[in-house]
Amino acid sequence: RIDPRKGMDGVRYLERAVKELGIRGLEVSTFRDRLYPNDKKYYPLYAKCVELGIPARIYCTMNYAADRPMDYGRPLYLDEVARDFPELTLIAALGGWPWVPELVGLARRHRNLFIDLAAHRPKHLSKPGSGFEMLLQFGNNLLQDRLLFASSWMTLGLPLKQVIKETLELPLKESVKPKWMYENAARILKLPQG
């Protein structure tokens, strides 16, 4: 995570972090930065991500900080970023709740947009009324190659094994589970396959 207000110092730091430390992506925390993801202060960092061939993972869900706008993480703002940076791999972090249909629409619209479900307890995602029904439906077919496992096990206060177990118990096709659990992330993070 790099403060976008650092300008070119932040861009140079990102390049060093990737080339010298082996970092494989940029974390953008819009509600912490108090900026929308399409704020032009982020654009030099996004451009450097494209140059370095790394994804930008952008906070994409509501936040609970009552002293700032709830919609810093609204998926709609990723549309402009995806259009301006079609070569940038974007990861919409945390599944977009309560704007899940909007995020699904954006993922269908932009082939460079991936989605992770961090910070949500997997066993609750498939419950009627959870708000994630559409994401599970499309993540099991049209978007199966763009969903990523993300545990947030420390945030959830659960052992990692429990989060994995609950994810594997979601109503997904057997052929989709390996994609969500590893293959999709391995592809965009350039990790060994299989």
Side-chain angles (χ1 to χ4, degrees):
R1 204 175 143 252
I2 298 170
D3 184 341
R5 293 171 185 88
K6 291 186 184 240
M8 288 308 297
D9 286 341
V11 171
R12 285 186 282 274
Y13 179 78
L14 176 60
E15 183 167 19
R16 278 193 312 276
V18 171
K19 290 184 174 179
E20 297 172 20
L21 303 175
I23 299 299
R24 295 181 188 247
L26 172 69
E27 174 76 15
V28 175
S29 186
T30 55
F31 85 96
R32 287 183 182 92
D33 294 335
R34 296 178 186 233
L35 297 170
Y36 291 94
N38 59 344
D39 191 292
K40 301 313 179 253
K41 288 178 185 71
Y42 287 120
Y43 275 42
L45 292 167
Y46 295 153
K48 182 54 75 170
C49 287
V50 171
E51 182 184 315
L52 296 168
I54 62 169
R57 181 179 185 259
I58 301 174
Y59 186 92
C60 195
T61 196
M62 69 173 282
N63 70 76
Y64 292 91
D67 65 338
R68 60 201 77 188
M70 179 176 112
D71 72 336
Y72 277 140
R74 186 167 182 182
L76 183 62
Y77 301 114
L78 294 179
D79 184 55
E80 182 179 1
V81 177
R83 284 184 285 119
D84 288 346
F85 295 93
E87 296 175 52
L88 174 61
T89 298
L90 294 165
I91 302 169
L94 303 131
W97 193 90
W99 305 287
V100 174
E102 186 172 283
L103 180 55
V104 168
L106 285 171
R108 292 189 64 195
R109 178 177 159 94
H110 297 290
R111 303 281 312 152
N112 59 328
L113 181 60
F114 292 74
I115 301 168
D116 82 33
L117 293 169
H120 298 285
R121 180 112 188 236
K123 77 175 190 175
H124 299 305
L125 298 177
S126 61
K127 303 265 191 234
S130 71
F132 286 100
E133 297 91 347
M134 183 181 285
L135 186 58
L136 289 174
Q137 174 192 343
F138 283 92
N140 211 10
N141 52 60
L142 291 177
L143 298 178
Q144 64 182 288
D145 295 320
R146 289 193 277 133
L147 269 286
L148 309 171
F149 173 75
S151 70
S152 290
W153 63 274
M154 289 175 31
T155 301
L156 295 173
L158 297 170
L160 179 57
K161 286 183 180 185
Q162 179 66 29
V163 179
I164 291 169
K165 178 181 180 292
E166 289 182 13
T167 303
L168 292 172
E169 291 172 348
L170 289 171
L172 301 172
K173 296 180 217 170
E174 288 304 313
S175 61
V176 170
K177 291 177 183 182
K179 292 179 178 187
W180 279 39
M181 297 305 293
Y182 181 75
E183 292 169 6
N184 295 340
R187 190 174 67 254
I188 65 173
L189 295 173
K190 299 173 181 73
L191 300 172
Q193 291 288 331

